[in-house]
Amino acid sequence: MTHDMIITGAHVITPDGTLERNIVVDESRVVSFTTDDVPCDTRIRADGLVALPGLIDTHVHYGVYTPIDRAAGTESHAAAIGGITTMMRMLRIGGAYQKALPEQLDASRGRHHVNYAVHASIFNYSQVDEMEYCASKGVSSFKIYMNLGGEIGHVYMDTAPGSTGLDEATVELTVPLIDKIVKNAAGLGLPVCVHAEDYESCACSMREAQQKGGDGLGAWSESRSPEYEAKAIQTVCRAARKYGTTVYFVHIGSARALEQIRAERAQGTKVHVETCPHYLTITHEDRGDYLAKVMPPVRTRADIGAVWAALGSGEIDTLGTDHVANTQSSKLGDGQDVWGALAGFPGIGALLPILLSSGVNCDRLTLEQLAALTSANAAKIFSLDGKGALAVGRDADITIVDTRLEKVLDHEMFGGHSDYSIYDGMKLRGWPTKTIVGGSLVAEDFEVIAKPGTGRFVAPR
Ligand SMILES: [Zn+2]
């Protein structure tokens, strides 16, 4: 019998340790591990390389600055080059999900190079009433933006498929609204993803900082203190304990937030934690430009140390990039000061090389820990059946990496919509060289070799 694919010679990272076996793939699944050379249609030579379970980027914004029918192609291209096999979209809709969700899913179909899933943001009471509908359509979770409200409630929604403009809106995530979302999510058995920053505290402090003439990433960080993260964490965890909801904190990057999460876990709250590559690499102490403006802000070297320690100890569960597919001109606005710039930047392609370079190759993480943080844990938390591990019967989403390959990061290598990367010029050691999605070789040596459409929608099961 001839098999679909064999991957030979790789060190295979499995939940039970490293296997020195060939991986055999049939009908988009891993069917066996063998020392034999079996007849097959596609042979992938991976001698001396490492095979990881395909990476899941839990946190991606695309479909905001360009509509999803275009963004699916460009951003999943960047994902594929970067070794990501599933990208989880943070969908933001201003109106009714019953209208917008089918449109967004239709326009996504057949256009992704890698698999994709959807988190649905809930902004108002009529959307609360649509949570059951969203769940029935296969969303992975519900997202709460505790940073949005009052004078800082402005947000860009995902734009309608085919549209060329931006969809601006103003929202207010009040405590009673948050309570309702947290309650409903528990009933539907889905986690809530939480952007934990208290908007009232942030608004007040930002106003003061601007009046004082503060500028730069340091002023930005100071005006959105980690204390305001801790405050929001407390608020939502109180509700989560009441209803038994699982809370997933997105983009945690400060020692203070981690400390608060520890306290909430000690009280029995069901909590998962995500961090992002920028909280592992970039500080306002070392960086002057506005490109690295993000919410919550990049912090200090001490915070970076705390985040790495939490990755190593298992306190942090997952990695998401918080990738925003914007361009420099839309990001910086008039370029006058930090307040006028938009928050967020692209990063999906940089996740794996940063973790290999600064994590695995600096002895901060083992490859097994990397596999758990970038794949297994996300698959478990969001019930992505078939994902998360290299094991017989699982989906053949496989990322092959060369841990010794050195390269200087350049945003152009990813082919996304963005014309910059905050990591441009960084020399990194350890890169993905092949990205396999559902048994199809999608990217090889920094080139996407398949047409869009290999990626499938992934719903919790
Ligand atoms: Zn985000």
Side-chain angles (χ1 to χ4, degrees):
M1 144 178 202
T2 303
H3 296 280
D4 291 351
M5 178 184 275
I6 187 168
I7 302 164
T8 62
H11 310 291
V12 183
I13 309 301
T14 79
D16 309 314
T18 306
L19 268 185
E20 307 295 337
R21 295 274 192 285
N22 302 329
I23 308 171
V24 183
V25 174
D26 269 319
E27 290 175 356
S28 74
R29 285 170 196 266
V30 173
V31 293
S32 64
F33 297 104
T34 176
T35 49
D36 298 336
D37 203 351
V38 297
C40 63
D41 297 331
T42 306
R43 173 175 303 270
I44 308 253
R45 287 181 206 286
D47 297 82
L49 304 178
V50 171
L52 291 170
L55 273 77
I56 300 170
D57 184 341
T58 50
H59 191 155
V60 189
H61 300 272
Y62 61 116
V64 179
Y65 295 94
T66 58
I68 191 63
D69 38 294
R70 278 175 51 204
T74 55
E75 305 322 294
S76 70
H77 188 284
I81 301 276
I84 308 293
T85 58
T86 300
M87 57 202 294
M88 302 187 78
R89 180 182 181 193
M90 287 293 173
L91 182 62
R92 290 195 298 245
I93 296 297
Y97 271 101
Q98 308 218 20
K99 178 176 183 293
L101 187 54
E103 288 173 1
Q104 292 283 341
L105 291 177
D106 283 348
S108 302
R109 203 167 297 124
R111 292 195 161 103
H112 282 77
H113 291 286
V114 307
N115 302 313
Y116 56 100
V118 172
H119 304 290
S121 308
I122 303 298
F123 291 114
N124 53 53
Y125 287 99
S126 48
Q127 290 183 339
V128 168
D129 294 335
E130 293 190 297
M131 287 172 68
E132 192 173 351
Y133 169 79
C134 290
S136 76
K137 290 290 167 198
V139 304
S140 297
S141 80
F142 301 102
K143 168 91 179 271
I144 303 175
Y145 286 87
M146 296 180 79
N147 60 315
L148 295 178
E151 64 196 84
I152 54 170
H154 177 268
V155 63
Y156 288 115
M157 298 292 177
D158 285 68
T159 191
S163 135
T164 49
L166 290 169
D167 185 356
E168 289 192 68
T170 305
V171 297
E172 176 130 18
L173 273 293
T174 61
V175 172
L177 175 58
I178 289 166
D179 192 87
K180 276 224 141 176
I181 300 168
V182 170
K183 182 181 179 189
N184 267 14
L188 295 165
L190 290 175
V192 283
C193 294
V194 176
H195 180 141
E197 284 187 294
D198 180 71
Y199 73 79
E200 281 176 334
S201 311
C202 289
C204 177
S205 180
M206 282 163 67
R207 210 183 309 124
E208 278 171 25
Q210 284 183 71
Q211 279 162 3
K212 277 194 301 188
D215 194 11
L217 294 177
W220 175 245
S221 171
E222 204 184 320
S223 76
R224 305 181 72 96
S225 159
E227 287 303 328
Y228 310 154
E229 295 184 67
K231 188 175 175 191
I233 289 166
Q234 259 184 313
T235 302
V236 75
C237 282
R238 211 174 292 130
R241 281 193 298 276
K242 189 160 65 172
Y243 302 117
T245 316
T246 300
V247 182
Y248 176 96
F249 287 109
V250 297
H251 48 48
I252 293 297
S254 68
R256 179 68 187 90
L258 286 166
E259 179 196 322
Q260 190 61 42
I261 286 166
R262 226 168 281 140
E264 303 298 339
R265 277 178 166 153
Q267 292 184 65
T269 329
K270 291 187 270 181
V271 174
H272 299 294
V273 182
E274 170 199 280
T275 192
C276 314
H278 42 277
Y279 301 121
L280 297 165
T281 47
I282 292 173
T283 70
H284 64 72
E285 297 165 325
D286 301 301
R287 183 129 185 174
D289 62 274
Y290 306 141
L291 287 178
K293 177 178 172 180
V294 67
M295 292 185 287
V298 293
R299 306 289 187 187
T300 65
R301 284 172 225 130
D303 288 291
I304 284 190
V307 177
W308 275 112
L311 277 182
S313 69
E315 266 183 67
I316 291 175
D317 300 284
T318 61
L319 267 298
T321 56
D322 203 2
H323 176 89
V324 176
N326 60 13
T327 56
Q328 276 199 68
S329 61
S330 66
K331 159 105 200 174
L332 295 177
D334 60 12
Q336 294 296 305
D337 58 25
V338 75
W339 312 104
L342 291 179
F345 40 72
I348 196 165
L351 170 64
L352 181 52
I354 284 174
L355 287 176
L356 288 170
S357 195
S358 305
V360 173
N361 281 329
C362 292
D363 293 325
R364 283 164 159 153
L365 293 178
T366 63
L367 283 164
E368 285 75 13
Q369 284 176 308
L370 175 81
L373 288 164
T374 58
S375 190
N377 296 347
K380 233 174 273 164
I381 293 165
F382 297 111
S383 309
L384 306 179
D385 197 32
K387 310 290 182 209
L390 289 177
V392 169
R394 299 286 185 113
D395 296 348
D397 294 344
I398 305 167
T399 303
I400 308 286
V401 303
D402 181 345
T403 57
R404 288 154 302 186
L405 179 64
E406 282 194 353
K407 235 176 164 30
V408 175
L409 191 142
D410 179 340
H411 66 273
E412 286 197 359
M413 64 209 289
F414 302 116
H417 173 67
S418 302
D419 56 357
Y420 73 102
S421 165
I422 58 164
Y423 310 109
D424 273 334
M426 243 183 222
K427 189 175 185 186
L428 299 173
R429 186 160 192 259
W431 287 84
T433 56
K434 291 172 179 61
T435 306
I436 296 158
V437 178
S440 299
L441 182 62
V442 166
E444 186 168 35
D445 299 329
F446 304 94
E447 255 181 77
V448 169
I449 56 171
K451 286 204 187 84
T454 307
R456 300 278 169 84
F457 178 57
V458 188
R461 264 191 288 168

